[in-house]
Amino acid sequence: MAARMPIISGNWKMNLNHFEAIQLVQKLSYQLDKEDHANVEVTLHPSFTNIRSIQTLLDADGLPMKLGAQNCHWDDSGAWTGEISAPMLSKLQVQYVICGHSERRELIGETDEQVNAKVKSVLKHEMTPILAVGETQEERDADATESKVVGQLEADLAGVGGAKVASMVIAYEPIWAIGTGLTATPADAQAVCGLVRDTVSKLKGKEAAAGVRIQYGGSVKPTNIFEIMSQKDIDGALVGGASLEAESFARICQYRLQG
Ligand code: 13P
């Protein structure tokens, strides 16, 4: 089995208009060189309104960053006012779609059943889901991290074959660490990312577990990325706040230079 390619993803959430988004990608492109891109896959997840602008820029300038989205609907088309479907995204050369981000689960009420349907739709349209899982502060305090994460994996990956899971990305994002400045210790992050890999192995087989790439997310910064990336079961990071600034996101993508 070939080594897993590290993957660092910038989730811009509901930030930046398309002018600002273009500027950010241009600045980022000056900071990241060929060697950086040979060492890590970089994915960018703008708002839906910015995807076309970023696609055009990546295409025109031949930039190696990959285009991502933050969400999609599970149906291909239909009477779903305000929603965006997977085939609409794949037509725009989107390659990665975040499914089940905790902000959508907690604030918008997305269910595991819906997340599972989204994962399947993204795969059906030949894009890669970045499935996000993680526990709240209360669940952590009640020692329920393991049952929460295992339960999410069982439900969100139901009916998805091992070979497909091997091609996916799973992001472990403890909800209490998102946007709070609190980061799981590298050892804690490794413990849960190890649990994610073991669970994938039990549910989908050893090859799926060996292939799936696991990201940590939650207050990732240039100062903590190296230690996080040094953990055995962590293959990447899903970055929120620090991905909105070219300099800090570039330093995160260049984590290896700190070693
Ligand atoms: P922060 O990096 O801002 O904590 O956000 C993490 C996150 O939710 C990425 O999806």
Side-chain angles (χ1 to χ4, degrees), residues 17-96:
N17 61 42
H18 70 288
F19 295 115
E20 295 163 335
I22 288 171
Q23 232 180 24
L24 174 57
V25 176
Q26 282 170 333
K27 282 190 192 159
L28 202 54
S29 72
Y30 301 138
Q31 307 229 8
L32 295 176
D33 63 20
K34 264 198 178 139
E35 213 186 317
D36 297 325
H37 288 294
N39 281 289
V40 61
E41 197 172 358
V42 178
T43 79
L44 306 174
H45 300 255
S47 305
F48 288 133
T49 51
N50 301 346
I51 285 181
R52 174 67 170 153
S53 305
I54 302 301
Q55 181 225 341
T56 309
L57 174 63
L58 297 181
D59 205 35
D61 290 4
L63 303 177
M65 290 162 259
K66 308 271 175 70
L67 191 54
Q70 300 173 16
N71 177 40
C72 72
H73 195 269
W74 56 85
D75 264 355
D76 285 358
S77 62
W80 290 105
T81 302
E83 293 291 324
I84 305 280
S85 73
M88 293 172 184
L89 296 175
S90 71
K91 201 75 181 164
L92 287 165
Q93 268 112 59
V94 166
Q95 296 183 56
Y96 289 88

Side-chain angles (χ1 to χ4, degrees), residues 101-133:
H101 190 280
S102 63
E103 283 149 16
R104 299 203 56 83
R105 295 177 189 263
E106 297 283 313
L107 307 175
I108 299 177
E110 220 167 75
T111 65
D112 278 319
E113 198 186 0
Q114 292 170 338
V115 175
N116 177 241
K118 290 179 183 206
V119 166
K120 287 175 173 162
S121 181
V122 170
L123 287 166
K124 177 177 137 196
H125 293 283
E126 294 175 352
M127 298 178 290
T128 303
I130 298 180
L131 169 65
V133 298

Side-chain angles (χ1 to χ4, degrees), residues 3-254:
R4 293 180 295 269
M5 176 73 165
I7 177 165
I8 307 266
S9 303
N11 175 11
W12 298 349
K13 307 191 179 182
M14 196 174 70
N15 294 293
L16 310 177
N17 61 42
H18 70 288
F19 295 115
E20 295 163 335
I22 288 171
Q23 232 180 24
L24 174 57
V25 176
Q26 282 170 333
K27 282 190 192 159
L28 202 54
S29 72
Y30 301 138
Q31 307 229 8
L32 295 176
D33 63 20
K34 264 198 178 139
E35 213 186 317
D36 297 325
H37 288 294
N39 281 289
V40 61
E41 197 172 358
V42 178
T43 79
L44 306 174
H45 300 255
S47 305
F48 288 133
T49 51
N50 301 346
I51 285 181
R52 174 67 170 153
S53 305
I54 302 301
Q55 181 225 341
T56 309
L57 174 63
L58 297 181
D59 205 35
D61 290 4
L63 303 177
M65 290 162 259
K66 308 271 175 70
L67 191 54
Q70 300 173 16
N71 177 40
C72 72
H73 195 269
W74 56 85
D75 264 355
D76 285 358
S77 62
W80 290 105
T81 302
E83 293 291 324
I84 305 280
S85 73
M88 293 172 184
L89 296 175
S90 71
K91 201 75 181 164
L92 287 165
Q93 268 112 59
V94 166
Q95 296 183 56
Y96 289 88
V97 184
I98 300 170
C99 298
H101 190 280
S102 63
E103 283 149 16
R104 299 203 56 83
R105 295 177 189 263
E106 297 283 313
L107 307 175
I108 299 177
E110 220 167 75
T111 65
D112 278 319
E113 198 186 0
Q114 292 170 338
V115 175
N116 177 241
K118 290 179 183 206
V119 166
K120 287 175 173 162
S121 181
V122 170
L123 287 166
K124 177 177 137 196
H125 293 283
E126 294 175 352
M127 298 178 290
T128 303
I130 298 180
L131 169 65
V133 298
E135 82 286 4
T136 62
Q137 181 71 61
E138 297 81 69
E139 287 160 345
R140 178 177 162 84
D141 293 344
D143 264 341
T145 299
E146 182 167 339
S147 59
K148 172 73 176 287
V149 169
V150 170
Q152 285 180 322
L153 292 171
E154 282 169 353
D156 300 346
L157 296 174
V160 182
K164 292 281 187 206
V165 175
S167 74
M168 283 179 57
V169 179
I170 298 176
Y172 166 58
E173 297 205 303
I175 296 169
W176 49 270
I178 295 178
T180 57
L182 300 171
T183 327
T185 62
D188 278 351
Q190 162 56 32
V192 184
C193 291
L195 168 73
V196 170
R197 203 175 299 285
D198 288 349
T199 306
V200 167
S201 181
K202 279 185 203 135
L203 295 174
K204 309 289 172 182
K206 282 199 179 118
E207 286 195 14
V212 69
R213 290 183 291 173
I214 301 175
Q215 294 178 319
Y216 167 79
S219 298
V220 171
K221 305 258 173 322
T223 46
N224 58 25
I225 185 68
F226 181 75
E227 254 202 290
I228 290 168
M229 291 301 287
S230 307
Q231 307 302 312
K232 158 167 136 350
D233 286 300
I234 301 183
D235 306 306
L238 183 53
V239 186
S243 71
L244 293 171
E245 211 265 307
E247 172 89 24
S248 62
F249 191 57
R251 293 290 89 78
I252 290 171
C253 295
Q254 294 162 333

